[in-house]
């Protein structure tokens, strides 16, 4: 069995030498840790921390410490993706254009208009924008209240050519400061 694993790794290493651009990116990224795997790992870490805090809460009798733990649990629950976050993300994915830019002619220009179109609360949509940006899933720029540009992370899906993907990955380093779900949680 070990010999087969070694052979497979050797074959993968050789295979990776022939890939370029998006193929190489996909070979190294999607095979092991695509969007779903990163989402699962991220949310599992958040839930694990919540579970740990609940256990710690049972051993604490100090009212201030209990309130602090409850506050942290509430904050952590807010970091999990919810239906509103997914609705906003999928709204953008539905309208994605070439090179992962959202076609601004097909989407509403303000968060309030998007909330109305999706039948969601304005505050929830605003929180979804903030959370999706914080988790490196989307990036956007605004002019006042109007959205000017929106990008969906090229790490979770790509629409375009291989050469363009490689170029865009370099250009968007400022927009996407990391890989999706790459955030640090407070240690115990």
């Amino acid at each position: 069995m070990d010999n087969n694993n070694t052979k497979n790794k050797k074959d993968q290493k050789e295979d990776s030498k022939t890939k370029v651009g998006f193929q190489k990116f996909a070979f190294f990224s999607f095979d092991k840790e695509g969007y779903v795997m990163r989402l699962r790992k991220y949310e599992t870490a958040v839930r694990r921390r919540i579970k740990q805090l609940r256990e710690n809460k049972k051993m604490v009798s100090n009212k201030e410490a209990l309130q602090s733990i409850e506050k942290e649990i509430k904050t952590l629950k807010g970091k999990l993706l919810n239906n509103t976050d997914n609705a906003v993300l999928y709204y953008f994915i539905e309208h994605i254009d070439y090179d992962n830019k959202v076609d601004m002619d097909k989407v509403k220009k303000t968060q309030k208009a998007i909330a109305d179109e999706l039948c969601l609360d304005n505050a929830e949509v605003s929180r979804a924008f903030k959370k999706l940006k914080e988790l490196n899933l989307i990036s956007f720029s605004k002019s006042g209240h109007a959205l000017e540009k929106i990008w969906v992370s090229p790490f979770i899906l790509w629409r375009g050519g291989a050469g363009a993907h490689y170029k865009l990955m370099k250009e968007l380093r400022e927009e996407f400061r990391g890989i999706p779900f790459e955030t640090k949680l407070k240690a115990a």
Side-chain angles (χ1 to χ4, degrees):
M1 183 99 176
D2 288 332
N3 196 17
N4 275 344
N5 288 342
T6 306
K7 185 178 177 186
N8 288 340
K9 287 179 185 177
K10 193 178 203 179
D11 291 343
Q12 284 180 344
K13 196 172 191 178
E14 287 300 315
D15 195 26
S16 73
K17 291 178 184 176
T18 62
K19 297 187 183 313
V20 294
F22 184 69
Q23 287 179 324
K24 193 166 196 167
F25 165 77
F27 181 79
F28 287 114
S29 299
F30 295 144
D31 186 40
K32 298 174 186 111
E33 289 199 1
Y35 173 76
V36 174
M37 180 66 79
R38 287 188 183 120
L39 172 63
R40 184 191 60 76
K41 284 183 175 182
Y42 167 77
E43 288 199 339
T44 300
V46 171
R47 287 190 196 100
R48 184 174 291 123
R49 179 69 182 138
I50 290 170
K51 184 177 180 180
Q52 181 183 21
L53 287 169
R54 286 183 177 150
E55 291 297 319
N56 292 350
K57 194 170 120 177
K58 293 176 185 175
M59 295 181 269
V60 175
S61 59
N62 182 352
K63 191 174 184 176
E64 287 179 11
L66 284 172
Q67 288 175 339
S68 173
I69 290 173
E70 281 296 326
K71 183 178 178 183
E72 188 174 350
I73 289 173
K74 184 177 180 181
T75 301
L76 287 168
K77 283 182 178 181
K79 291 181 181 256
L80 296 170
L81 286 183
N82 60 35
N83 290 338
T84 302
D85 304 328
N86 286 320
V88 171
L89 178 61
Y90 296 142
Y91 176 76
F92 294 135
I93 288 173
E94 179 183 350
H95 297 97
I96 198 170
D97 204 3
Y98 205 71
D99 292 344
N100 278 34
K101 290 179 188 162
V102 173
D103 187 347
M104 295 307 290
D105 294 331
K106 294 181 180 174
V107 297
K108 302 294 182 181
K109 302 292 191 273
T110 64
Q111 290 179 2
K112 182 182 180 340
I114 291 170
D116 291 342
E117 184 170 331
L118 297 175
C119 298
L120 296 168
D121 182 58
N122 295 345
E124 289 177 357
V125 170
S126 180
R127 282 191 293 272
F129 266 78
K130 183 179 176 190
K131 188 186 305 183
L132 293 172
K133 187 168 185 166
E134 183 180 296
L135 293 174
N136 298 309
L137 296 174
I138 66 167
S139 183
F140 58 91
S141 61
K142 292 170 115 179
S143 175
H145 290 291
L147 296 163
E148 288 183 328
K149 294 179 186 175
I150 304 169
W151 294 275
V152 175
S153 174
F155 282 100
I156 62 171
L157 72 109
W158 174 248
R159 186 168 188 189
H165 183 264
Y166 183 73
K167 182 182 170 197
L168 188 69
M169 291 297 286
K170 287 183 178 179
E171 289 174 12
L172 291 182
R173 284 202 178 119
E174 289 181 27
E175 295 297 327
F176 296 98
R177 301 219 187 287
I179 295 171
F181 306 110
E182 197 174 68
T183 61
K184 303 280 186 210
L185 297 175
K186 266 186 167 178

